[in-house]
Amino acid sequence: MNRGVTHTPIGIFDSGVGGLSVLRELRRQLPAEDLLFLADQAHVPYGRRSLSQVRDFSREITSYLLSQGAKLIVVACNTASAAALHYLRESFPEVPFVGMEPAVKPAAEQTQSGIVGVLATPATFQGELYNSVVERFAKGVTVLKDTCQGLVAQIESGDLDTLATRTILEKALHPMLERGVDRVVMGCTHYPFVIPLIEEVAGPEVEVIDPAPAVARQVGRVLDARGLSKPGASLGAVQYLTTGDPAKLSALLPRLVGEENLVESLHWDSDRLI
Ligand code: DGL
């Protein structure tokens, strides 16, 4: 692979700040890589939209990231992965994609109580991907689920540790805890930002599973297999884009990814990004 392609960015997208839970892990594991992150905050939350609408957004965002030179696309959103991953791979057959899949497999392998919980959006639970991972990997294990209504909005506002956020989590987790859950899967990329609060509510007996480290490892494997990894030790550049309010996202970056950066603005013009 020529130097030009290895030195183009990894494109990453989500409906909002959730994809940053994947980005920070990519930064940890693959620090040399340049990253181009797009938050579609004009349309957040995706989780209450139809799968076909999320698929249309995902197609246009992918086209945009490719037009900016992205060498691989990380669908850093469980909802968009459920709605569009299969379709994106068919529509852009030459492009490597890495998507999110609810981490039911490790939860089912590790559980002692035989009861695991999944927190994800309504659209993710409706998608075929969720049913297929439960069918394939959760044999003999009870899988409880909750959509944590309102939690994405709380995290978008930076309310990671407020009473309202705790109340949403208590409502989701208390019934699971009563049933004896001992593993809770983050089936939405926004939710890892409230893991400290989830751990407080759930207590030390419950392990929280965030798939972001596994997803970042998979990105590294795919880049290596295709000869696309960026060589060298210098820290890659990160560019942030949003279809929402760039100042608002920029203000949240230090808390969510531990670094300051400017955010550029992008607009939807009917169904095209400009
Ligand atoms: N972060 C997303 C996910 O992983 C979407 C949340 C939303 O926009 O509803 O599902």
Side-chain angles (χ1 to χ4, degrees):
M1 192 55 61
N2 65 38
R3 186 179 187 280
V5 178
T6 56
H7 284 65
T8 57
I10 297 171
I12 306 159
F13 76 90
D14 180 39
S15 60
V17 301
L20 296 173
S21 68
V22 179
L23 179 141
R24 69 181 173 182
E25 201 49 48
L26 286 165
R27 204 87 176 118
R28 239 173 243 151
Q29 293 189 30
L30 306 170
E33 293 294 341
D34 298 323
L35 307 177
L36 173 59
F37 178 80
L38 196 157
D40 187 14
Q41 291 176 302
H43 292 136
V44 71
Y46 275 6
R48 314 202 85 76
R49 293 177 182 273
S50 72
L51 292 173
S52 69
Q53 195 179 27
V54 174
R55 198 183 57 202
D56 292 345
F57 297 153
S58 302
R59 184 195 50 227
E60 178 58 19
I61 291 169
T62 297
S63 296
Y64 182 84
L65 293 171
L66 293 174
S67 77
Q68 301 303 301
K71 61 183 173 184
L72 177 150
I73 304 289
V74 182
V75 184
C77 174
N78 288 78
T79 307
S81 297
L85 191 54
H86 187 66
Y87 167 80
L88 292 174
R89 286 190 169 125
E90 270 180 2
S91 308
F92 303 92
E94 71 293 352
V95 177
F97 286 93
V98 176
M100 310 300 298
E101 167 175 296
V104 170
K105 186 174 184 227
E109 282 167 358
Q110 293 163 20
T111 180
Q112 303 288 312
S113 66
I115 302 174
V116 306
V118 180
L119 308 182
T121 68
T124 294
F125 286 131
Q126 274 160 33
E128 278 167 32
L129 190 61
Y130 174 75
N131 289 320
S132 110
V133 291
V134 170
E135 241 164 62
R136 277 181 292 148
F137 303 123
K139 295 204 172 62
V141 170
T142 302
V143 184
L144 307 174
K145 53 188 195 181
D146 198 283
T147 61
C148 298
Q149 197 179 344
L151 187 55
V152 167
Q154 291 296 112
I155 294 167
E156 283 290 313
S157 310
D159 291 334
L160 308 183
D161 193 15
T162 60
L163 184 59
T165 304
R166 178 182 281 267
T167 304
I168 294 170
L169 290 171
E170 284 175 349
K171 204 164 151 236
L173 292 168
H174 282 166
M176 293 186 179
L177 294 165
E178 275 160 29
R179 302 269 305 269
V181 82
D182 69 350
R183 294 290 182 281
V184 175
V185 173
M186 302 292 93
C188 169
T189 54
H190 279 73
Y191 299 171
F193 290 117
V194 291
I195 287 176
L197 200 49
I198 292 175
E199 287 176 339
E200 259 180 61
V201 172
E205 308 297 314
V206 174
E207 202 154 300
V208 178
I209 301 179
D210 174 8
V215 169
R217 280 195 296 279
Q218 177 64 6
V219 171
R221 279 194 291 269
V222 174
L223 290 178
D224 281 346
R226 298 206 178 207
L228 291 172
S229 297
K230 185 176 161 196
S234 59
L235 190 64
V238 189
Q239 190 186 354
Y240 296 92
L241 301 166
T242 181
T243 60
D245 179 348
K248 199 175 150 206
L249 179 55
S250 185
L252 281 175
L253 289 179
R255 281 173 72 200
L256 300 183
V257 293
E259 53 188 36
E260 288 189 16
N261 215 320
L262 285 176
V263 177
E264 291 161 54
S265 162
L266 206 60
H267 295 285
W268 287 99
D269 180 15
S270 80
D271 56 357
R272 304 303 304 271
L273 275 172
I274 51 170

